[in-house]
Amino acid sequence: MNAITSPAKKRGGVLFLFAILFGTAQSFAQKPADPKLDKMPAALETDYALSALPPQLRPGATVYLLDPAKGYYVARKGTNGFITFVMRTAWEWAEFRNDVITAISYDAEGARTIFPIYQDEAAMRASGKFTALQARNIIIDKIKKGVYKAPARPGISYMLAPVMRTYPAKPDQHNVMTMVMPHYMFYAPYLTNADIGNIPDGQADFPVLVNPEAMFLGQKKAPYGYIIVPKGEKERAKIVAENKDLLKRLADYKSFMKI
């Protein structure tokens, strides 16, 4: 793992490690920002969102779909406390673009404390009344004022989908990548990589602490940190194989989702 420490640090820190370790379906690409999103086909969006969860949790999960003109809405009410959705805007990066597509799920605590930020970001984007920077500033201000709260207990976000398209670096870098990186995220409010013994700054090995909003709020002041634990190589290969049809549908929908 030491061999990848230096290039990872040069290319943006903690999250770039993901791209090196888990491969990319497409090289770094940057496309013009666009406040308007297209509507994913509902069946595709549902299946992709559910792929973030382990199979046993999918039947009872609440599924949120995105109406680009309004925001997220409940497409299927669940029973087990878990929610799942497709993230189209990573608020920390303060840009509205149409080539970010990532399936995320949360347990009941994450649904209560973290998902509302995605809901509000999507609603602000849909309204056309806010720039991406204004939306980020509003969210940061609400975090500082305690409107958005940190998770009150340990919990988990499953991100087990076979592909994701998002930022592999910190919010001061704006390239996105298509990655095969099924993983688990455990809530770690206000922690740093030093707290979990992964130094320097998460480059040594997994698990790793990721907390993009710390860039704006400061270390030990950012409530939405996650300890990332990736799936193993064989498990990743199995997830890709089991989702062959879904991957084709995603690639047919957007060519940048092809792996």
Side-chain angles (χ1 to χ4, degrees), residues 136-173:
R136 184 176 74 185
N137 289 341
I138 289 170
I139 291 170
I140 291 173
D141 184 61
K142 288 185 176 181
I143 291 173
K144 290 178 178 179
K145 291 179 177 177
V147 176
Y148 299 131
K149 301 183 183 302
R153 62 160 175 78
I156 188 169
S157 167
Y158 291 101
M159 292 186 67
L160 302 179
V163 65
M164 58 189 289
R165 174 82 173 182
T166 190
Y167 301 88
K170 294 180 180 179
D172 59 348
Q173 298 185 11

Side-chain angles (χ1 to χ4, degrees), residues 232-251:
E233 183 177 352
K234 291 183 179 179
E235 293 170 307
R236 293 196 303 273
K238 181 180 179 182
I239 287 173
V240 169
E242 290 176 344
N243 286 279
K244 183 178 179 180
D245 178 67
L246 175 61
L247 286 166
K248 182 180 184 304
R249 292 162 62 199
L250 287 167

Side-chain angles (χ1 to χ4, degrees), residues 10-74:
K10 291 178 181 178
R11 292 174 174 86
V14 173
L15 294 186
F16 192 82
L17 192 58
F18 297 166
I20 297 173
L21 289 179
F22 303 109
T24 66
Q26 191 166 315
S27 62
F28 281 105
Q30 186 167 5
K31 299 185 179 182
D34 187 349
K36 296 181 179 179
L37 286 170
D38 65 311
K39 179 73 175 79
M40 286 185 73
L44 175 61
E45 189 174 5
T46 298
D47 290 346
Y48 182 45
L50 286 169
S51 75
L53 286 162
Q56 72 273 14
L57 294 177
R58 295 171 190 169
T62 294
V63 177
Y64 283 87
L65 299 183
L66 179 63
D67 179 348
K70 296 181 180 180
Y72 286 105
Y73 64 94
V74 175

Side-chain angles (χ1 to χ4, degrees), residues 46 48-54 57-65 72-86 102-119 153 156-160 187 226:
T46 298
Y48 182 45
L50 286 169
S51 75
L53 286 162
L57 294 177
R58 295 171 190 169
T62 294
V63 177
Y64 283 87
L65 299 183
Y72 286 105
Y73 64 94
V74 175
R76 190 189 79 182
K77 182 66 175 177
T79 58
N80 63 11
F82 284 84
I83 68 163
T84 192
F85 65 103
V86 177
T102 299
I104 305 175
S105 72
Y106 286 110
D107 65 6
E109 184 63 13
R112 183 182 73 86
T113 60
I114 305 174
F115 181 58
I117 297 179
Y118 289 100
Q119 289 179 298
R153 62 160 175 78
I156 188 169
S157 167
Y158 291 101
M159 292 186 67
L160 302 179
Y187 311 147
Y226 301 95

